[in-house]
Amino acid sequence: MRQFIILGHDVPVTDDFSLSDLAGGAGRLDVLCRCVGAAFFLSHGLREDVRVHLVVGDAFTIRFNGSALRRLYPDERTIASRIRDALAQRDEAIGHMPADVSAGMELYRMGFEATLERVARDGTVVELHEAGEPLVEAEPPSDPIFVLSDHHDFTDEEATLLANHAEKRLRVGPEILHADQTITVTHNWLDTAGYQQY
Ligand SMILES: C[S@@+](CC[C@H](N)C(=O)[O-])C[C@H]1O[C@@H](n2cnc3c(N)ncnc32)[C@H](O)[C@@H]1O
C-alpha cells in the first residue's frame, strides 16, 4: 500500500466554492486535484493499492481509497466536484466517525495531527521535502506514507509533527517541483525499485 497525505492550507472547509475558480476562490484546490490525479491515475487504469488523504484547512480530511473508488476521472473539475460533495457532508462527520461520500471516499473531521497519528500505524512516514536526503540513495520503505505540502511550505507546527513521526525526509531531486510532480516521481521510484529493466 502506498499512501499520500497532502496538506491543503487555503482550501475552503465548506462546499461554498465554484468549480470554475479552483485556483482562486477555492484556495488552489487545483493543486490538490492534480495530486489526486497523479496518485491514482495511469494512462489506462487506476492504481488500486493507493490511498490519498487530503487535509483541508487542518479541520477535515478527505480519504480516497483506490480499491473502492468509483466515478472518479482524471480531470480536475471532476475531482474538485467529488471534493465539494465530500465537504457538503461535513455535518455527518462526527468525532472520528467519517461521513460516507461516495464509493471509496470518506470525510473525516480530523486535522493533520489526528490524521498523521492514525495513518502512521499502517506504514512508514516519509516527509517529502526539497531539503531532504536524496531519494536515489534511500531504500524504498515498506508501506510508505508520503507527506507533502501544497503550494506553501510546511508550517512550523506541521514540521514539528513530521519531525516526531517521519522515519525519513527525502528529496526527489535537486529542483523544487509541484506537489503532483513529486508524487509522480515517488511512484516511479517505487515502480522501478529493484528492476534492472522495465
Ligand atoms: C511547490 S512545493 C511547496 C513550496 C516550496 N517550498 C517552494 O518554495 O516553492 C510543494 C511540495 O512538494 C514537495 N516537493 C517539491 N519539490 C520537492 C523535492 N525536490 N523533493 C521532495 N519533495 C518536494 C514538498 O512536499 C513541497 O512542500
Side-chain angles (χ1 to χ4, degrees):
M1 168 77 66
R2 302 174 187 180
Q3 302 199 61
F4 298 90
I5 300 176
I6 305 149
L7 302 173
H9 295 97
D10 299 337
V11 175
V13 295
T14 68
D15 61 334
D16 185 22
F17 59 84
S18 165
L19 295 179
S20 301
D21 191 21
L22 298 180
R28 296 308 314 269
L29 184 57
D30 60 317
V31 173
L32 298 196
C33 293
R34 284 195 289 278
C35 286
V36 172
F40 285 113
F41 291 109
L42 300 163
S43 182
H44 295 283
L46 186 141
R47 293 179 186 269
E48 293 196 359
D49 202 22
V50 168
R51 276 191 197 151
V52 168
H53 312 262
L54 294 186
V55 181
V56 176
D58 203 22
F60 290 94
T61 297
I62 302 166
R63 188 167 93 174
F64 298 74
N65 184 359
S67 62
L69 274 177
R70 301 287 179 273
R71 293 196 311 121
L72 194 74
Y73 306 103
D75 65 284
E76 286 171 31
R77 197 178 170 91
T78 298
I79 297 170
S81 172
R82 292 288 92 76
I83 291 171
R84 196 171 65 169
D85 292 346
L87 291 170
Q89 300 291 323
R90 50 181 272 158
D91 290 343
E92 307 301 317
I94 298 167
H96 285 187
M97 292 300 292
D100 275 327
V101 179
S102 57
M105 281 184 70
E106 294 172 318
L107 177 78
Y108 289 83
R109 190 177 289 273
M110 296 197 306
F112 178 46
E113 182 171 9
T115 295
L116 183 63
E117 285 177 355
R118 186 165 178 156
V119 177
R121 298 176 199 149
D122 298 328
T124 307
V125 177
V126 177
E127 176 183 356
L128 288 172
H129 194 285
E130 51 269 26
E133 301 296 316
L135 191 79
V136 288
E137 293 172 13
E139 276 294 310
S142 56
D143 297 313
I145 301 159
F146 296 107
V147 185
L148 304 90
S149 184
D150 51 7
H151 56 297
H152 292 299
D153 286 331
F154 293 111
T155 64
D156 291 345
E157 206 173 82
E158 290 161 356
T160 302
L161 281 170
L162 283 166
N164 290 335
H165 287 86
E167 291 189 24
K168 295 172 190 287
R169 189 185 200 226
L170 298 179
R171 70 168 180 265
V172 301
E175 303 288 353
I176 299 177
L177 303 177
H178 291 289
D180 60 304
Q181 297 169 331
T182 309
I183 289 173
T184 300
V185 176
T186 57
H187 268 320
N188 185 254
W189 178 52
L190 298 172
D191 288 347
T192 57
Y195 287 90
Q196 300 300 315
Q197 291 183 310
Y198 44 85

